[in-house]
Amino acid sequence: MNQLTQDINERLKNNTFMHYNHIELESIGEDRAVFKLDIRPESRNSYGMVHGGAIYTLADNATGYVAHSDGRYYVTQTSALHFLRNQSEGTVRAFATVRHRGKSTCLVAVDILGEGDKLIATGEFTFFCVDKAVMDKKRPQEAK
């Protein structure tokens, strides 16, 4: 198992918010990742469509994991997600690709595709590189 796979597996194990929202990793490599969400009753808004927060969470996870694919540690700094359409059932996938890596930031583009590969949302996330030791000190005791 290579270092990227080990790092990703450790992050996946500790990402309880992602698991709580039923988001799954489909594939990851250097500078690219695909995550999916099978729409469930708890994924829907009051209109019966997949909730915008679920789509945003899917996008944030996909872009965050692809930012981390260089072995450094990041937190979300800014984001813009444009919602274009919606769906009520099936699967939605986030396709994330690094557009730029700098010394302290990483810019990642994301497309959310639904059934029939229809574009549901698109956007960009900027991540700020952080010191892992500093972040580990901030982690609550029960999460260590």
Side-chain angles (χ1 to χ4, degrees):
M1 183 180 306
N2 66 32
Q3 189 61 45
L4 173 60
T5 303
Q6 288 176 344
D7 289 346
I8 295 301
N9 286 338
E10 186 66 23
R11 284 190 185 94
L12 286 170
K13 182 178 78 173
N14 293 322
N15 191 339
T16 55
F17 190 70
M18 187 180 88
H19 298 294
Y20 178 81
N21 287 284
H22 310 288
I23 294 169
E24 299 175 34
L25 168 67
E26 281 199 334
S27 66
I28 191 162
E30 189 173 335
D31 293 345
R32 60 173 179 71
V34 180
F35 278 68
K36 77 171 188 166
L37 168 66
D38 292 323
I39 299 171
R40 303 163 57 109
E42 58 271 27
S43 306
R44 294 185 183 108
N45 62 24
S46 59
Y47 299 109
M49 307 301 277
V50 66
H51 194 286
I55 294 171
Y56 182 89
T57 300
L58 175 66
D60 189 39
N61 276 277
T63 57
Y65 275 83
V66 78
H68 286 86
S69 71
D70 70 349
R72 296 191 297 167
Y73 297 86
Y74 296 88
V75 294
T76 307
Q77 184 177 24
T78 64
S79 64
L81 192 63
H82 307 280
F83 296 92
L84 306 172
R85 64 172 39 96
N86 210 329
Q87 70 184 48
S88 60
E89 55 188 27
T91 301
V92 291
R93 287 182 172 79
F95 294 83
T97 307
V98 170
R99 293 185 51 145
H100 171 77
R101 283 192 189 278
K103 291 180 182 177
S104 60
T105 61
C106 179
L107 177 65
V108 183
V110 63
D111 285 334
I112 309 295
L113 301 181
E115 298 297 319
D117 289 332
K118 290 184 179 175
L119 186 63
I120 290 179
T122 188
E124 291 183 330
F125 284 62
T126 302
F127 294 87
F128 184 74
C129 190
V130 296
D131 183 329
K132 183 181 184 310
V134 171
M135 297 307 288
D136 283 347
K137 287 179 185 176
K138 295 180 179 208
R139 185 179 301 185
Q141 285 297 89
E142 66 271 8
K144 290 183 179 178

